[in-house]
Structure formats: structure tokens, C-alpha cells
């Protein structure tokens, strides 16, 4: 215990050097903590939102855009597909379930999604207040939407043409207001930031605004479209033939979420590799700085160390003093680094929340964070080994002779 307390005092006997070493080590650990947290939370968000969706069928275009727009609601859709073409897929023996998704409008930047109650049950989401929609023009609001907009059950609102955010917003559909019938509890899925309604609502809103008369309305009803469909296979074998059938025999495209997410993560991985390399450079710099500081301390404190030896301290205890100084640095840097990493992640989550595209939450403690203290103590010990050995070899006799 005395050694630990003594090491603490020795560490802060040179506050400037100690603070610099602490800063360098903390910055490196904060960078690594940030990368671990963001990678973990993005992976978790992708897994939660993609679970149970085998393939997405929509208009031809970029498969990744189709997945980002249809599953995560982060991008503009590739277009619309005829309702009849999607209904025909229901008879396909390889298809177990189809969830239609219709996009086009938003409410204060949050997307209004026309779908069926199957979309809510797919994510096992529960109602916090009210009920599901019973007829068109009723809407169920996600938990985050309710929190951010303050909308309540029984309130009415008009959708804005366009998907909000970078998609821009057009005119409000004032002739066709929605009534909030329910609010979802937090499900920590994409549903939290969506406004859900019946598919018929989306058609009704746009047909009311564009139809000139009853005949025009009838034509629009016959040509109804949806944006895309989320499909679940009856068996895993369908993954081999069904996408090929869609892509070659229809005017639609099929995209597998698992493949596109893997592709997206591999593209993002280049950026994370650069950040990881930067964190490694910071840790290496911190390690060298700690080594130089401790090495210099041994040189400056030779008289003190010799005095300790003369008072009966064994060589191992003198060397342990240096090691304890390094461990103090590692402990403090771990605390500061993890807190700074959590703070950066929370800041990023806040920024994404403003963009209505939250994939990252605030605080989380994944198992991977264990590597942060391990790394910190590893760097500190590696930096202190040589100075500790030098302290171990301090000779009282030689020191007295030199004086």
C-alpha cells in the first residue's frame, strides 16, 4: 500500500509531464473506445432492423439504396412498383410473408410509412398508448417521433410531400390530415423514428390531391403502386433462386439485406481502419512519452532511489515504484479515455438524432470495451519495464563512490 501511495506522489511531483502523458494516453484510448462503441452499436442496429427480412423487392436501381430506403429508412427509394406485381408474388411457393411498404411523405422530417400491422408485429413492437389504426388516415407514431414532436393520441397532423431531411419537404397535404390512434413503446428498432399508417392512407392522400374528378380517381385506383416489399422465405433454399427469378423475369429487383450490409460495412471499414491506425499512433506516442518520462525520472531520482535502498527497501520494491507510476497512469487514462469515448458517441448520437437517422444510442458497455484497460495497462507496463529494470539495478555503493 505504501508503494502505491508513494508512486502516486512521485507521479505528480512533475505535474506537467504527468498531465502530458495522461493526455496522450487518454486520447488514444478515447479513439479506440469511440470506434468500439460505434462499430458495436451500428452492428446491433443493423442486426435488429434486418432480422427476419430475407429479401427486399422494389424498383430497379441500386440494391444498396433499396435496402437503405426500405429497411433502415436512411435513403430515398429507387421508385415505385405496381401493386399487382407484388400481389402476384404472394402466390409464389417460395414466399412465406410479404410486408408492403409505401413511402412518399413525412411529418416534421420523420417518414410516414404505409404498411400493414404485420410490419409492427415483425419487430415485436408494443403500443404504449392508444390502438393500431382501424381505418385509413389513422396513424401510429414511433416512440422517438412522439418524444421529439410532442404529438399525442387524438392529435391530427398533415403529412408533408417528400421524405424530409436531405430529401427536402414539399407542400402539406392539408386536405387529408392523419389522426394519431396510438403511440409505440420504445422498441430500439427503426420503428421508433417512423409514422406508420395503412397503405390505403398513402394512396388516399395522393389521390385526393391529384385526382381531378371521379373518373380520374378511378384510373389512379387501378394503377396503384407501392414502394417496395419486405419478403420472408419459406425455406433458406429460396435465397438461391428467388432473387434470380425477380431480377431476370420481372421489372423489379431483389436485394438481400445481409449481402448489402456486408458490402456497406466493408466500405465503411476503410474509414474505421484509418481511425484505428490514428489511435494506434496516439498510443505509440503515449507509450514513448511514458517511457521517456519514467527513464528520465530514474536518472533524476537516483539519489532518492539509493536512499530507499539504504533504508532497507529491496530492489524489487524500488522497481515496483516505477511500475506503480505507470499503472496509475494507465488507470487514470482508462477512466478518462472511456468517458471521453462515451461522450463522443453520445455527441454523434445527438447529431444523428437531429438528422432523424439514429443508428447509435447514447451509453452502452459492450464486452469489447474490456480491451481498453487491457491495452492501457499493456502500453504502460511495456513503457515502464526498462526504467523499472534500471531502478532495480541502482547500486548504492557506486552512487556513494561517485560522490
Amino acid at each position: 500500500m505504501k508503494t502505491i501511495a508513494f508512486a502516486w506522489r512521485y507521479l505528480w511531483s512533475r505535474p506537467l509531464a504527468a498531465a502530458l502523458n495522461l493526455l496522450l494516453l487518454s486520447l488514444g484510448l478515447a479513439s479506440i473506445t469511440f470506434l468500439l462503441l460505434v462499430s458495436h452499436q451500428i452492428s446491433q442496429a443493423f442486426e435488429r432492423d434486418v432480422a427476419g427480412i430475407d429479401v427486399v423487392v422494389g424498383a430497379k436501381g441500386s440494391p444498396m439504396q433499396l435496402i437503405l430506403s426500405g429497411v433502415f429508412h436512411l435513403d430515398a427509394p429507387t421508385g415505385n412498383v405496381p401493386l399487382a406485381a407484388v400481389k402476384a408474388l404472394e402466390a409464389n411457393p417460395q414466399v412465406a410473408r410479404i410486408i408492403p411498404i409505401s413511402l412518399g411523405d413525412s411529418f416534421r422530417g420523420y417518414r410516414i410509412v404505409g404498411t400493414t400491422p404485420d410490419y409492427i408485429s415483425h419487430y415485436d413492437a408494443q403500443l404504449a398508448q392508444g390502438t393500431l389504426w382501424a381505418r385509413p388516415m389513422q396513424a401510429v407514431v414511433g416512440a422517438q417521433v412522439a418524444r421529439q414532436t410532442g404529438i399525442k393520441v387524438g392529435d391530427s397532423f398533415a403529412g408533408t410531400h417528400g421524405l424530409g431531411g436531405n430529401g427536402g419537404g414539399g407542400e402539406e397535404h392539408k386536405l387529408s390530415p392523419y389522426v394519431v390512434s396510438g403511440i409505440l413503446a420504445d422498441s430500439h428498432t427503426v420503428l421508433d423514428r417512423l409514422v406508420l399508417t395503412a397503405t390505403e392512407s398513402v394512396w388516399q392522400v395522393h389521390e385526393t390531391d391529384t385526382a381531378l374528378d371521379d373518373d380520374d380517381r378511378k384510373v389512379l385506383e387501378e394503377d396503384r403502386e407501392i414502394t417496395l416489399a419486405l419478403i420472408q422465405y419459406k425455406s433458406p433454399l429460396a435465397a438461391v433462386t428467388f432473387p434470380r427469378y425477380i431480377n431476370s423475369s420481372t421489372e423489379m429487383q431483389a436485394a438481400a439485406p445481409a449481402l448489402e450490409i456486408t458490402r456497406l460495412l466493408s466500405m465503411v471499414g476503410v474509414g474505421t481502419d484509418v481511425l484505428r491506425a490514428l489511435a494506434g499512433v496516439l498510443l505509440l506516442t503515449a507509450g514513448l512519452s511514458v517511457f521517456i518520462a519514467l527513464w528520465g525520472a530514474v536518472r533524476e531520482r537516483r539519489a532518492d532511489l539509493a536512499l530507499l535502498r539504504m533504508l532497507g527497501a529491496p530492489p524489487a520494491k524500488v522497481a515496483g515504484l516505477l511500475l506503480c507510476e505507470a499503472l496509475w497512469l494507465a488507470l487514470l487514462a482508462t477512466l478518462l479515455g472511456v468517458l471521453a469515448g462515451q461522450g463522443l458517441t453520445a455527441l454523434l448520437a445527438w447529431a444523428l438524432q437531429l438528422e432523424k437517422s439514429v443508428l447509435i444510442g447514447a451509453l452502452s458497455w459492450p464486452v469489447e470495451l474490456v480491451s481498453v484497460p487491457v491495452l492501457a495497462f499493456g502500453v504502460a507496463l511495456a513503457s515502464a519495464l526498462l526504467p523499472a529494470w534500471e531502478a532495480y539495478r541502482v547500486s548504492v555503493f557506486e552512487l556513494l563512490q561517485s560522490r
Side-chain angles (χ1 to χ4, degrees):
M1 181 60 74
K2 285 182 180 177
T3 304
I4 295 174
F6 211 24
W8 174 263
R9 291 187 179 184
Y10 257 146
L11 176 65
W12 293 106
S13 63
R14 297 187 306 165
L16 189 60
L20 179 62
N21 292 329
L22 187 58
L23 177 65
L24 288 172
L25 202 50
S26 298
L27 284 176
L29 295 174
S31 304
I32 289 175
T33 301
F34 176 73
L35 288 174
L36 288 174
L37 290 176
V38 170
S39 301
H40 172 78
Q41 293 192 20
I42 287 179
S43 298
Q44 292 286 308
F46 281 161
E47 287 177 12
R48 281 196 304 268
D49 292 345
V50 166
I53 300 172
D54 293 319
V55 70
V56 179
V57 172
K60 285 191 181 297
S62 164
M64 186 177 292
Q65 185 181 351
L66 183 62
I67 298 299
L68 290 176
S69 63
V71 180
F72 305 108
H73 298 277
L74 296 175
D75 201 352
T78 53
N80 289 332
V81 294
L83 176 64
V86 175
K87 279 190 170 297
L89 296 178
E90 293 177 350
N92 192 302
Q94 296 178 312
V95 173
R97 184 168 68 165
I98 291 180
I99 300 175
I101 298 290
S102 290
L103 303 172
D105 295 336
S106 61
F107 169 60
R108 297 186 191 177
Y110 293 100
R111 296 188 176 192
I112 297 174
V113 177
T115 185
T116 64
D118 286 345
Y119 191 43
I120 295 176
S121 59
H122 175 77
Y123 289 107
D124 293 325
Q126 302 295 321
L127 281 165
Q129 301 175 37
T131 61
L132 291 181
W133 61 84
R135 57 182 181 275
M137 304 317 299
Q138 289 185 330
V140 171
V141 176
Q144 185 191 333
V145 182
R147 276 196 301 271
Q148 295 296 320
T149 63
I151 200 165
K152 302 183 292 296
V153 173
D155 289 350
S156 61
F157 66 91
T160 302
H161 193 69
L163 297 176
N166 295 330
E171 295 183 0
E172 288 189 339
H173 297 293
K174 293 181 179 177
L175 297 177
S176 306
Y178 290 93
V179 175
V180 178
S181 64
I183 295 175
L184 292 176
D186 273 309
S187 61
H188 304 291
T189 66
V190 68
L191 299 188
D192 291 346
R193 48 189 169 87
L194 297 178
V195 177
L196 305 170
T197 184
T199 308
E200 290 80 3
S201 303
V202 179
W203 294 329
Q204 183 174 323
V205 168
H206 294 91
E207 289 167 6
T208 300
D209 278 6
T210 56
L212 300 176
D213 50 34
D214 290 341
D215 290 339
D216 199 14
R217 192 187 312 278
K218 191 173 181 180
V219 171
L220 290 174
E221 288 178 3
E222 291 173 353
D223 295 335
R224 279 177 171 171
E225 296 178 328
I226 63 171
T227 307
L228 51 93
L230 311 178
I231 293 179
Q232 198 170 40
Y233 295 139
K234 279 185 177 174
S235 75
L237 291 176
V240 179
T241 57
F242 185 81
R244 190 185 309 160
Y245 160 72
I246 294 293
N247 292 330
S248 62
S249 304
T250 72
E251 295 182 353
M252 301 181 288
Q253 71 163 330
L259 291 178
E260 297 306 321
I261 295 307
T262 302
R263 196 158 68 90
L264 178 63
L265 290 177
S266 67
M267 292 165 65
V268 174
V270 177
T272 58
D273 287 344
V274 172
L275 291 175
R276 197 173 286 115
L278 179 62
V281 170
L282 284 173
L283 282 177
L284 181 61
T285 306
L288 286 173
S289 178
V290 172
F291 167 75
I292 293 170
L294 292 177
W295 185 263
V298 172
R299 296 290 180 186
E300 290 176 8
R301 300 172 190 161
R302 287 181 69 85
D304 295 341
L305 297 176
L307 183 60
L308 284 175
R309 292 286 309 280
M310 289 175 64
L311 293 175
K317 192 167 186 175
V318 175
L321 195 62
L322 270 293
L323 291 176
C324 281
E325 279 191 55
L327 294 180
W328 270 120
L329 274 177
L331 179 62
L332 293 174
T334 299
L335 292 174
L336 293 176
V338 170
L339 288 176
Q342 293 279 10
L344 286 173
T345 308
L347 186 64
L348 179 62
W350 176 75
L352 291 176
Q353 184 173 301
L354 294 181
E355 296 291 328
K356 280 85 175 178
S357 58
V358 177
L359 284 174
I360 298 173
L363 293 176
S364 65
W365 302 94
V367 178
E368 295 88 337
L369 275 186
V370 173
S371 61
V372 174
V374 171
L375 202 55
F377 283 95
V379 169
L381 283 176
S383 307
L385 278 178
L386 198 56
W389 174 248
E390 184 68 14
Y392 182 88
R393 293 176 59 249
V394 166
S395 169
V396 179
F397 180 71
E398 291 180 1
L399 189 63
L400 292 176
Q401 270 193 333
S402 66
R403 297 191 171 204

